[in-house]
Amino acid sequence: MDVLRDTPPEVLPATALTLATAGDTTLPEVRDAADGCRACDLWARATQTVFGAGPVPARLMLVGEQPGDQEDVVGEPFVGPAGRVLDEALEAAGIDREQAFVTNVVKHFKWKPSPGGKRRLHETPNRREVGACLPWVESEVRLVRPEVLVTMGATAAAGLLGPSVKVTRDHGTPVASELAPLVVPTIHPSAILRARDRPSREAMLAGFVDDLRQVAARLR
Ligand code: URA
């Protein structure tokens, strides 16, 4: 599409959102445009832009924080360890991942080298980086038109629902939002992996599955 190709890379996200809102563009076109995004500096150290994946439209949209190490290499969201926790929880809740559109609020992997320099360690994106990327996920919402939108973790909740939502306190409680008829913040699968001990991990996983069961009930 000429408009997107001719848009300067730093203003691409906002242009793509305008076109998606007007119904003038498709998800593959927006995804291709996101490959050239330079609205923040994260692209420079990432392997590629990791856009959302799944059916369009979809009744359920799941939004995480940013691609991890494996997602950055493969180019798809939630295919690494956090993705396996997500798959386990979705299955326990009776939700078919194939029916959901899965994405992140930030489309590039932000990382720093481990002390030995051998591994890439996740770094949380800052507010400016989330803000720069937000039009991409908003474009996805416009095109996917989910009936239920689930934010996973603090970064997705803050980016899409505002700073007043606290995941530990509010997970599982629907939030009024124009993004979808039902919007539910929940726990991030990576937080479950990082839990300090087994009982905490099991409790967090149970909370995550409970939130997803509520979603499954709505979708039935
Ligand atoms: N964590 C996320 O938030 N998203 C991914 O795609 C992988 C890990």
Side-chain angles (χ1 to χ4, degrees):
M1 175 182 277
D2 289 342
V3 181
L4 287 175
R5 214 179 30 233
D6 297 339
T7 301
E10 61 282 4
V11 293
L12 254 179
T15 307
L17 175 58
T18 307
L19 293 173
T21 304
D24 275 356
T25 191
T26 64
L27 193 95
E29 287 167 335
V30 178
R31 188 200 300 118
D32 287 351
D35 280 341
C37 183
R38 302 287 183 267
C40 78
D41 294 336
L42 294 183
W43 66 272
R45 282 156 53 75
T47 308
Q48 57 191 314
T49 304
V50 180
F51 215 63
V56 180
R59 294 182 69 202
L60 172 61
M61 181 161 168
L62 300 160
V63 188
E65 180 190 285
Q66 62 166 344
D69 182 69
Q70 294 190 26
E71 288 79 9
D72 172 71
V73 174
V74 174
E76 283 186 33
F78 286 99
V79 292
R84 287 191 280 282
V85 175
L86 176 61
D87 289 347
E88 184 189 335
L90 287 171
E91 194 181 340
I95 295 172
D96 179 4
R97 175 167 170 170
E98 300 290 307
Q99 304 294 316
F101 187 87
V102 180
T103 192
N104 289 299
V105 274
V106 169
K107 310 297 189 202
H108 285 119
F109 179 36
K110 181 176 181 183
W111 60 277
K112 62 176 180 204
S114 63
K118 288 214 172 111
R119 291 193 304 131
R120 303 189 299 170
L121 301 179
H122 162 275
E123 279 200 297
T124 304
N126 62 36
R127 272 176 49 191
R128 202 182 50 73
E129 290 154 349
V130 173
C133 219
L134 217 47
W136 292 121
V137 74
E138 288 170 349
S139 303
E140 290 174 304
V141 173
R142 296 288 179 276
L143 294 162
V144 172
R145 288 179 281 115
E147 185 179 332
V148 184
L149 184 143
V150 175
T151 60
M152 298 182 286
T155 306
L160 288 174
L161 311 177
S164 62
V165 175
K166 299 284 171 246
V167 174
T168 32
R169 182 192 64 200
D170 300 327
H171 76 87
T173 305
V175 175
S177 164
E178 289 179 355
L179 296 171
L182 179 65
V183 175
V184 182
T186 188
I187 297 159
H188 195 288
S190 297
I192 297 170
L193 289 171
R194 285 195 306 267
R196 64 179 181 281
D197 53 32
R198 193 167 164 174
S200 321
R201 191 158 46 248
E202 284 174 358
M204 286 171 83
L205 180 61
F208 186 35
V209 171
D210 273 355
D211 296 348
L212 293 174
R213 284 205 175 108
Q214 186 194 144
V215 166
R218 166 67 180 245
L219 294 173
R220 267 197 292 277

